[in-house]
Amino acid sequence: MAESVLNIPDLKDLEEEELWNLIDDNRHAISLGVRPCVLIPYLRQARVLTDLDEDEILTCFSFTNRGMKTSHMLDLLRVQGHNGAMALLESLMIHYPTLYTRITGRQPSIEPSGFSGLINYNELTEYLVHAVSSMQSELQVARHEAARLQARCCQLEGKLEQAQQNNEELSQMQGEHAQLRSHLDGLNRELLKLKDEKCDLYVRYTTSLEEKSATIVRNRDLQLEISQLQHELKKAQKETDFERQRSLKNPSDTQKLKDELNAVRAKLLETETLFPVQQDILAHDLKEVENRRSELAEEVSRLSEENIRLQQEKEELLEEKDCLALEVEKLTVDCEMYQHRSTLFHSQLEEVQAERDKAYLSRDEAQAQIARSLAEKDVLRGQLMELQARVFAMKACSKQRERREKSRDRMFSCDSNRGSCSEFPPSSPPARRQLCRLNAILPESFNSDDGCEFGDEGICSSNQVEPPCSESLRRRDFPSRSDMEDIYSSQDSLSFDHDFVFISKGDSFDESKSPVSLPCSNSRRSPNGSVSRASAPPFLMRSRPQALRITGRVLNVFFQGEMLLNQIQVIGGNKTGVFVHHVTEGSSAHNTGISPGSQILQLKYEREQRAVRMVLEDTTMEEALWAMGQVQGPCHITLRPSQDAYENLLQQLKNGEVMSGDSFYIRVNMTMPGDVAGTLAVKCNDILHVTDTHHSNDGSWWASHVHPCHLEDLKSGVLPNYYRAQRLLIRALEDMTYPRKTQRKEKTLAHEKQRAARIVITGQQSRNPLWLSVEDDNNPAQDSDGCVPSRCVTLMPYTLVSPRFPPICRPVLLLPTLLGRVLHKRLAEQEGFQLCEPELLMASEHAIQMQKGEILEECDSKTHLSYTLQGVEKIMKRGTHCVLPLGLDCVRRLHRAEIFPIIIYIMSTERSLRRLRQKLRQNVLTESQVLECSCSEEPLLDKLPCLYQSIPPESWHDSTTLTDTLKTVVAEEQQKIVWVESDTW
């Protein structure tokens, strides 16, 4: 091993390419294992990196991770050549010896001979001592951390043992629970058997009662027959006795008997004359009795039928009572849920208010600190100017001395020129001159804030205190114009390009004499006499600002813009652009030569000593009119002649093809009813196509519903604009928080539960989030009619959306998550569906995909078992729907990859979950867990940047019908357009 090390040549003897080849071979390991903040002090001391490089590496926002910062540091060191490579390897030898050995094949050494000599011996010794002390402190910290982790490990082991014991107890309890459940099932079966036997006994008892009643009726009939037979028997016995007595009487009695017989016959004749009447009376009584008996039979049958009907009504009322009790329970749960939501909303509102107060306090503190720093900077700048004046005076004195010495030499060498040399006047120091670019349009003049704010506020004097932001802090890092002039004047050997000319300090640059009219005037001065940043050379800027998209010939016009809307009438919108339609004769705009047919690109003016710049190239008609209404003095307006586009717009307006030049799509976040006046009735989550943002002067838009499967406009009508809808949304939230009595009555009478509003919050608070033109406007105007308020709150009634047309089958995401676990496999078994399976990744692949954002969710962080985008794309390429067993966190990751899943939310209730009780038991889930998951995930659906589909619990009865409903919903959603919101933050 020692011989192999001796055979390796010294690193100082290697060429630059060889050193960098060694570094490039291990660039990936260096980028992943090295922290730039550790190596930068040594590289700074070796003078291969500057302070600007350090700031760029550590604070640049474009470097989002440590690997990108390390890679950029290697690129900067590559520029330094051999010294950069040696300094990097020496710093690795000190701080990362293992990586140094891996790169060079040498063991690290701190001998002075092992260093390249970029740092002298004393500085190197001091740095090494500091590095050793820092390493010792880090070692102590690491030891303390190891001890803490060991204690934590012991604590976790104790907890693990306790958890194992608890697990054993739980398993025992589960076994006992299973035994008790089996015993309970047996008892239930016995109870069912007893109930069946009881029902049989009831049936037998009723049959026996019926038989008993029939027997009683038969017995009564028999008793009547017996009584009749007994009466007949008695009658026959009497007749027999009478005959017997008559036959036994004496003949002497025969005459008497005959007389008696004649008398009886006479009486009988008398009785026979009265018998038909009695017979009729008896027949009539018999009919009455029969009628009464039939009426009683009918009444008995009617009462039996009424009894049966009452029994049925009783059963129906009992069922209705059960349904009402269930509805009461549902309403109680909903009431508790809404109360919980209301408390959460109030708590979140209080937190937002507290954060707002903290932000106000931090802003005030930052502004005070910035004011103090600017005041200190002004003092230091004044001292710097004084020192520079002294330097110039000393340079002038030194030049005078040099000229005097030269004149003395000439006096001794040339006697003829002795007088002229002695009378030579002292020269004055040359005046500092200013640079001004000609024959070009500066990209800084089109920037949103830089060109205008620097010219008006005067960054050299720092008179204005602007609120802290990333742009303002970054702008102050650039050197001022006066400082650059001092630098140029102090360097006599500096040569300038031909596209810059020198002008005197007192002269002003005439804008009209320049070959191209600049959108931002370069002749404006800062209060201390220095020119604005717009006139600075471009190589003084560290980063190139974003330029305005302007094609074709551009004209910049300056005129008095009081009452600008009375001077110029405009038409158009965000789709076609804003064009000048009519110019009032005799106005300032007409005198400057503005004519119809010119497109307005941007508008600049001053408001309360602040420069305001508005880009009107892609703005709506409402926004353009508001921007032009803010002009109250001199203004710069940038125009582009576009007669063809203007005539095309006029022709479309004349033919009725369009109503204006506006065209964009929005998603409605609240429910608004229509009326007879033509107001469009919309519901929450409806997609509308806005075609006119200035339909009337009361702040109304003209919009249309959009076909769900095609970009076709359906029913059209008037819609409140952003600010009116915002007030309606706030009123709706107030009504939801503090409901009135009339609304409570309406809620009790309502049959369907509809979503009233969708809460969407944005971070853009100072203006309308749908507007794009205002570049710097700290003093928004107040409108008396309420169309444009002084400040835009965070609630958004509308959000901008854009259509997407996915060409292949979209993935399917089922919610709530616990219920989705039950249905994933069953849905994946259907034709055209496949379940997404996790993939086992290597550590390097996992790190790369994690850095790229291609991992949707991790199943196990130790084995790197994860769901990836590649797995979803493979299933989609086969023409099947990928069933995602994931949560809502994967939606935004899929959107970044241009994959738009079908989100289906299954609304759950206790009654509907009873139908899936068996499936839930198979997955070790309870109904309460699913309901809790549903209540927690339902508010998160409103935060998604896309629409979702809900399935009501009444649309399915069991798992089979639910699967068929899911297939139908997926087929319908696949045909629809996907509407995606832009990022509101």
Side-chain angles (χ1 to χ4, degrees):
M1 181 67 184
E3 293 179 358
S4 62
V5 172
L6 293 174
N7 293 331
I8 298 174
D10 193 2
L11 294 177
K12 293 183 286 186
D13 298 335
L14 296 177
E15 297 294 333
E16 176 184 350
E17 293 297 331
E18 296 177 353
L19 290 174
W20 281 107
N21 288 334
L22 291 175
I23 295 172
D24 291 338
D25 292 339
N26 299 273
R27 187 182 183 95
H28 181 68
I30 295 172
S31 299
L32 294 178
V34 173
R35 292 185 296 173
C37 59
V38 177
L39 303 184
I40 283 177
Y42 184 82
L43 299 175
R44 285 283 307 279
Q45 204 162 5
R47 297 177 182 83
V48 294
L49 289 180
T50 62
D51 53 350
L52 294 177
D53 297 332
E54 181 181 0
D55 294 339
E56 185 175 358
I57 293 170
L58 297 179
T59 62
C60 185
F61 294 107
S62 59
F63 304 141
T64 57
N65 53 35
R66 188 179 67 187
M68 297 176 67
K69 294 180 179 179
T70 307
S71 180
H72 184 65
M73 182 184 70
L74 295 177
D75 295 336
L76 294 176
L77 292 175
R78 185 65 178 267
V79 179
Q80 299 295 330
H82 188 273
N83 292 338
M86 290 300 299
L88 176 62
L89 293 176
E90 290 172 1
S91 62
L92 293 175
M93 180 177 66
I94 295 172
H95 296 284
Y96 298 94
T98 305
L99 188 57
Y100 173 80
T101 305
R102 178 180 175 181
I103 295 172
T104 61
R106 294 172 172 274
Q107 295 296 328
S109 175
I110 59 173
E111 295 296 331
S113 60
F115 292 87
S116 62
L118 296 174
I119 307 175
N120 56 30
Y121 183 75
N122 294 330
E123 295 178 353
L124 179 61
T125 304
E126 182 180 357
Y127 181 80
L128 291 176
V129 169
H130 178 70
V132 169
S133 62
S134 63
M135 289 179 181
Q136 290 177 353
S137 62
E138 291 178 359
L139 181 60
Q140 292 179 359
V141 172
R143 288 176 178 174
H144 289 302
E145 183 68 19
R148 187 183 65 80
L149 292 176
Q150 188 174 4
R152 179 64 177 170
C153 183
C154 296
Q155 184 179 1
L156 292 176
E157 288 178 354
K159 290 183 178 180
L160 180 60
E161 293 177 356
Q162 185 66 27
Q164 290 177 354
Q165 295 178 0
N166 295 335
N167 190 12
E168 292 177 357
E169 294 177 357
L170 180 63
S171 61
Q172 294 177 0
M173 294 177 67
Q174 286 179 352
E176 295 176 357
H177 184 290
Q179 293 178 0
L180 292 174
R181 185 175 290 277
S182 61
H183 182 62
L184 181 62
D185 294 336
L187 294 177
N188 287 330
R189 287 192 294 271
E190 293 179 359
L191 180 63
L192 292 175
K193 290 180 181 178
L194 293 175
K195 286 183 179 179
D196 294 336
E197 292 177 358
K198 186 178 180 180
C199 291
D200 295 336
L201 289 175
Y202 277 135
V203 172
R204 292 168 60 186
Y205 179 69
T206 52
T207 54
S208 63
L209 288 177
E210 291 177 355
E211 291 175 356
K212 181 180 178 181
S213 61
T215 305
I216 291 171
V217 171
R218 181 64 178 168
N219 189 12
R220 288 178 181 177
D221 294 338
L222 291 175
Q223 287 178 358
L224 290 172
E225 290 178 358
I226 290 171
S227 61
Q228 289 178 0
L229 290 174
Q230 288 178 355
H231 181 68
E232 291 177 355
L233 179 61
K234 289 179 180 180
K235 187 177 179 180
Q237 287 177 356
K238 287 180 179 181
E239 289 178 356
T240 303
D241 294 336
F242 178 75
E243 291 292 335
R244 185 181 296 115
Q245 290 176 4
R246 190 181 63 177
S247 62
L248 293 177
K249 285 182 178 182
N250 293 324
S252 58
D253 295 333
T254 304
Q255 189 65 31
K256 294 180 180 178
L257 292 173
K258 289 181 179 180
D259 296 335
E260 290 177 0
L261 181 62
N262 293 326
V264 170
R265 287 178 177 175
K267 292 180 180 179
L268 183 62
L269 291 173
E270 292 177 358
T271 55
E272 285 180 355
T273 55
L274 298 175
F275 182 75
V277 177
Q278 294 177 355
Q279 189 175 4
D280 293 337
I281 292 171
L282 292 175
H284 181 69
D285 294 339
L286 181 62
K287 288 181 180 180
E288 288 181 353
V289 171
E290 290 179 353
N291 292 332
R292 182 64 178 170
R293 186 176 181 181
S294 63
E295 289 177 358
L296 290 174
E298 291 178 356
E299 187 175 359
V300 169
S301 62
R302 183 179 60 79
L303 290 175
S304 63
E305 291 176 357
E306 186 176 359
N307 187 18
I308 294 171
R309 182 178 59 81
L310 291 175
Q311 290 290 337
Q312 293 177 355
E313 290 180 356
K314 181 180 178 181
E315 292 177 357
E316 292 177 357
L317 290 174
L318 289 176
E319 292 180 357
E320 187 175 358
K321 177 186 174 183
D322 296 335
C323 294
L324 290 175
L326 184 60
E327 291 293 333
V328 168
E329 293 178 358
K330 288 181 181 179
L331 292 174
T332 306
V333 173
D334 293 340
C335 182
E336 292 176 356
M337 180 180 66
Y338 285 129
Q339 288 178 355
H340 181 63
R341 286 185 181 179
S342 179
T343 54
L344 287 178
F345 177 76
H346 284 296
S347 62
Q348 291 177 0
L349 185 61
E350 292 176 356
E351 292 177 358
V352 169
Q353 290 176 354
E355 291 178 358
R356 181 198 62 187
D357 297 336
K358 290 181 181 178
Y360 284 160
L361 292 175
S362 61
R363 183 195 65 181
D364 296 336
E365 293 176 359
Q367 287 181 352
Q369 185 177 0
I370 289 171
R372 289 194 298 270
S373 62
L374 292 178
E376 293 175 359
K377 187 183 291 185
D378 292 337
V379 175
L380 295 175
R381 190 175 288 112
Q383 295 177 1
L384 180 61
M385 294 296 292
E386 292 178 359
L387 292 176
Q388 287 179 351
R390 292 180 184 178
V391 170
F392 290 141
M394 293 175 67
K395 284 185 178 181
C397 293
S398 63
K399 289 182 180 180
Q400 278 185 348
R401 291 175 183 176
E402 289 178 359
R403 289 192 177 90
R404 288 175 183 176
E405 290 177 357
K406 289 180 181 180
S407 63
R408 290 175 184 176
D409 295 337
R410 290 175 184 175
M411 286 173 64
F412 290 107
S413 62
C414 299
D415 296 333
S416 60
N417 297 328
R418 189 176 300 172
S420 62
C421 292
S422 62
E423 296 176 358
F424 189 82
S427 62
S428 60
R432 288 178 290 167
R433 297 174 290 179
Q434 299 177 352
L435 289 176
C436 182
R437 175 180 282 277
L438 295 178
N439 300 325
I441 295 179
L442 297 179
E444 290 79 10
S445 61
F446 294 102
N447 195 13
S448 62
D449 293 321
D450 299 340
C452 298
E453 288 185 1
F454 274 63
D456 291 341
E457 295 177 7
I459 191 170
C460 296
S461 62
S462 302
N463 293 329
Q464 301 276 343
V465 178
E466 58 184 7
C469 64
S470 59
E471 291 296 327
S472 62
L473 298 177
R474 183 178 65 84
R475 285 197 298 267
R476 292 194 177 92
D477 294 338
F478 297 119
S480 62
R481 183 70 181 91
S482 59
D483 298 338
M484 286 299 165
E485 292 173 359
D486 299 336
I487 294 172
Y488 293 151
S489 61
S490 62
Q491 297 177 358
D492 297 333
S493 61
L494 184 63
S495 62
F496 299 95
D497 297 334
H498 295 290
D499 57 350
F500 289 87
V501 296
F502 290 99
I503 59 177
S504 62
K505 182 85 174 180
D507 297 337
S508 62
F509 177 66
D510 190 1
E511 187 181 19
S512 61
K513 295 180 181 180
S514 62
V516 180
S517 179
L518 300 178
C520 185
S521 175
N522 295 335
S523 63
R524 289 183 296 179
R525 304 286 186 126
S526 58
N528 61 352
S530 62
V531 297
S532 64
R533 187 187 176 209
S535 62
F539 54 82
L540 299 181
M541 308 306 164
R542 189 169 182 83
S543 61
R544 180 181 181 274
Q546 185 178 1
L548 178 67
R549 176 169 57 87
I550 296 178
T551 58
R553 186 165 58 91
V554 177
L555 300 176
N556 189 27
V557 180
F558 175 81
F559 65 100
Q560 293 293 329
E562 287 85 4
M563 304 297 290
L564 185 58
L565 291 177
N566 293 336
Q567 301 183 29
I568 299 175
Q569 295 181 7
V570 295
I571 60 173
N574 67 311
K575 183 179 180 180
T576 60
V578 180
F579 296 90
V580 177
H581 182 56
H582 178 71
V583 182
T584 305
E585 295 184 0
S587 61
S588 300
H590 183 266
N591 296 332
T592 54
I594 298 177
S595 60
S598 300
Q599 183 182 358
I600 302 176
L601 299 180
Q602 69 176 358
L603 187 66
K604 293 190 295 183
Y605 62 93
E606 292 184 0
R607 184 178 181 85
E608 296 181 3
Q609 297 181 355
R610 295 284 295 178
V612 181
R613 177 172 176 268
M614 298 184 180
V615 180
L616 305 181
E617 188 177 8
D618 298 323
T619 59
T620 61
M621 189 64 182
E622 180 186 29
E623 184 180 357
L625 292 175
W626 177 84
M628 296 176 67
Q630 303 304 307
V631 180
Q632 300 295 334
C635 66
H636 288 266
I637 184 169
T638 304
L639 304 173
R640 178 173 60 195
S642 183
Q643 195 67 26
D644 295 336
Y646 171 71
E647 292 177 356
N648 187 17
L649 177 60
L650 287 179
Q651 187 66 26
Q652 291 179 356
L653 291 173
K654 183 178 180 180
N655 296 335
E657 298 177 3
V658 296
M659 299 188 65
S660 69
D662 294 323
S663 178
F664 57 94
Y665 296 90
I666 60 174
R667 177 182 178 182
V668 183
N669 299 326
M670 59 183 298
T671 300
M672 291 181 288
D675 56 6
V676 184
T679 303
L680 189 64
V682 295
K683 295 185 295 184
C684 187
N685 292 326
D686 279 355
I687 303 298
L688 302 181
H689 182 203
V690 181
T691 55
D692 189 4
T693 58
H694 192 66
H695 183 68
S696 60
N697 294 326
D698 59 346
S700 299
W701 292 351
W702 185 263
S704 306
H705 286 282
V706 182
H707 194 278
C709 301
H710 310 285
L711 285 178
E712 297 177 1
D713 295 344
L714 301 177
K715 185 179 179 181
S716 303
V718 179
L719 186 74
N721 67 351
Y722 185 87
Y723 294 106
R724 288 181 57 197
Q726 197 175 65
R727 292 183 179 181
L728 295 176
L729 177 58
I730 295 173
R731 188 178 303 168
L733 293 177
E734 291 176 353
D735 294 338
M736 291 171 62
T737 308
Y738 306 101
R740 304 173 183 174
K741 295 182 179 180
T742 57
Q743 291 179 353
R744 290 179 182 175
K745 292 180 181 179
E746 290 174 359
K747 288 182 180 178
T748 56
L749 295 175
H751 297 283
E752 296 181 1
K753 187 175 102 174
Q754 296 181 355
R755 183 178 294 275
R758 171 176 174 259
I759 306 302
V760 180
I761 300 177
T762 177
Q764 302 170 351
Q765 300 181 1
S766 60
R767 57 184 175 88
N768 187 341
L770 303 183
W771 285 7
L772 306 172
S773 66
V774 182
E775 296 287 347
D776 184 12
D777 187 6
N778 295 330
N779 299 307
Q782 296 181 357
D783 197 350
S784 60
D785 58 357
C787 297
V788 182
S790 60
R791 183 173 178 83
C792 176
V793 297
T794 55
L795 295 177
M796 298 180 66
Y798 309 134
T799 48
L800 287 173
V801 293
S802 56
R804 298 289 191 276
F805 303 90
I808 52 180
C809 294
R810 298 164 56 189
V812 179
L813 182 62
L814 301 181
L815 297 174
T817 308
L818 295 181
L819 189 57
R821 295 179 186 175
V822 181
L823 301 173
H824 285 154
K825 294 183 180 179
R826 186 172 182 86
L827 183 61
E829 293 173 358
Q830 306 298 321
E831 184 178 1
F833 295 87
Q834 184 176 351
L835 185 64
C836 182
E837 300 292 339
E839 298 179 6
L840 188 62
L841 303 176
M842 302 295 292
S844 58
E845 295 178 355
H846 181 269
I848 294 172
Q849 293 191 10
M850 181 65 74
Q851 185 177 5
K852 293 181 179 179
E854 296 178 354
I855 293 180
L856 300 178
E857 188 174 318
E858 285 187 346
C859 299
D860 189 1
S861 59
K862 296 182 180 179
T863 59
H864 302 301
L865 187 66
S866 308
Y867 293 94
T868 61
L869 282 174
Q870 289 79 2
V872 178
E873 291 174 353
K874 288 179 183 177
I875 299 176
M876 292 170 62
K877 290 179 180 178
R878 300 171 188 168
T880 58
H881 294 281
C882 179
V883 181
L884 300 173
L886 307 175
L888 287 173
D889 296 334
C890 69
V891 175
R892 296 188 183 274
R893 299 189 183 99
L894 290 171
H895 281 195
R896 283 195 290 269
E898 293 299 318
I899 298 176
F900 305 97
I902 299 174
I903 303 173
I904 302 176
Y905 176 71
I906 304 172
M907 303 175 67
S908 303
T909 59
E910 292 181 355
R911 188 173 183 180
S912 63
L913 292 177
R914 291 173 189 168
R915 309 163 191 165
L916 301 175
R917 184 176 296 174
Q918 185 178 2
K919 296 290 184 181
L920 294 177
R921 288 179 180 177
Q922 292 177 0
N923 290 271
V924 196
L925 293 175
T926 60
E927 299 172 5
S928 60
Q929 292 177 351
V930 177
L931 287 175
E932 184 178 358
C933 179
S934 176
C935 294
S936 63
E937 290 182 353
E938 185 178 5
L940 301 178
L941 293 172
D942 287 339
K943 299 180 181 180
L944 294 176
C946 59
L947 299 176
Y948 64 92
Q949 184 66 30
S950 300
I951 296 180
E954 300 84 15
S955 62
W956 55 277
H957 306 287
D958 52 5
S959 60
T960 305
T961 56
L962 180 57
T963 305
D964 297 336
T965 306
L966 289 174
K967 291 173 61 178
T968 305
V969 171
V970 170
E972 292 175 357
E973 291 295 318
Q974 181 64 38
Q975 302 297 327
K976 294 182 180 179
I977 301 173
V978 182
W979 297 96
V980 181
E981 292 180 353
S982 58
D983 191 5
T984 57
W985 292 89

